[in-house]
Amino acid sequence: QDRVKGVIIHRPVIYGNSAVLLTPTERGAVAPEHTHRWTVAVRSAASPTEGRTDSVGGADDISYFIKRVSFKLHETYPNPNRNIDKPPFEVSETGWGEFEIQIRITFVPEANEKPVSFYHHLKLHPWNAPPPSEDPVPTPSSVPPVEAVHAWQYDEIVFSDPPRAFLDILLAN
Ligand code: SLL
């Protein structure tokens, strides 16, 4: 394998989730115990490329070096292992509880690298949330504001002594 010795190159990513409370209407369309809609994702943290605002081939497209992102959800979900093979690398679901999500990133074959895993605690509840209302029928004052909760981490994926072909791919994007 033709590796370029001494080169260390990294790609910045963010991973994590956003979540919102379901509205009463939305709650009618999902399992009765589901209270939130959430999206877990891996995205580029690179600054936008000059002149590109689209995501295809643009700053948010990390598919040039990432082949697959596997999100391992809680076993209460059907098919908890969700494999995403093209951007956006994300899973959206509804549910009622927080849990740990394993996020496994597989690189393109040229990288000749083992997959790396991040662990993210799915966050649904804001720190300052008031206790849930006891009212069976929500009144306007007891309906909580529809505010999103965000829990995102910055990290850098580091490649040491990358294969020449992979270094070319990284530098061309
Ligand atoms: C808890 N340890 O008890 C956690 C588990 C599981 C959350 C949370 C969906 C389930 C379904 C769901 O929200 N699971 O669709 O059946 O808080």
Side-chain angles (χ1 to χ4, degrees):
Q1 186 74 22
D2 177 23
R3 287 187 172 266
V4 187
K5 296 272 161 55
V7 168
I8 296 173
I9 185 165
H10 57 79
R11 285 294 176 265
V13 295
I14 55 168
Y15 64 92
N17 82 278
S18 294
V20 288
L21 212 49
L22 294 171
T23 65
T25 313
E26 290 175 309
R27 288 201 60 166
V30 299
E33 66 275 20
H34 287 197
T35 50
H36 291 74
R37 181 181 311 283
W38 50 261
T39 298
V40 60
V42 178
R43 307 198 194 287
S44 173
S47 51
T49 313
E50 190 75 36
R52 294 296 296 260
T53 51
D54 57 316
S55 64
V56 179
D60 200 40
D61 188 355
I62 46 180
S63 60
Y64 67 91
F65 74 100
I66 290 176
K67 185 165 83 106
R68 161 176 287 184
V69 179
S70 301
F71 298 91
K72 191 175 181 189
L73 307 183
H74 193 264
E75 53 270 21
T76 47
Y77 280 93
N79 312 313
N81 271 298
R82 308 289 176 88
N83 296 323
I84 309 298
D85 292 322
K86 57 182 189 333
F89 294 105
E90 65 181 34
V91 169
S92 292
E93 268 292 357
T94 61
W96 53 266
E98 302 186 340
F99 56 91
E100 185 98 318
I101 300 179
Q102 183 187 1
I103 302 172
R104 186 173 185 262
I105 298 177
T106 307
F107 301 107
V108 296
E110 290 86 349
N112 196 32
E113 281 288 344
K114 293 197 297 279
V116 302
S117 288
F118 297 132
Y119 293 86
H120 174 68
H121 186 83
L122 179 73
K123 187 166 155 62
L124 304 182
H125 308 290
W127 295 113
N128 59 354
S133 167
E134 299 292 314
D135 299 349
V137 179
T139 59
S141 63
S142 72
V143 176
V146 183
E147 270 190 78
V149 168
H150 301 284
W152 296 91
Q153 295 286 320
Y154 175 89
D155 211 333
E156 292 174 349
I157 299 175
V158 180
F159 302 102
S160 298
D161 304 337
R164 165 60 63 190
F166 186 52
L167 183 59
D168 290 346
I169 289 170
L170 290 176
L171 294 177
N173 280 277

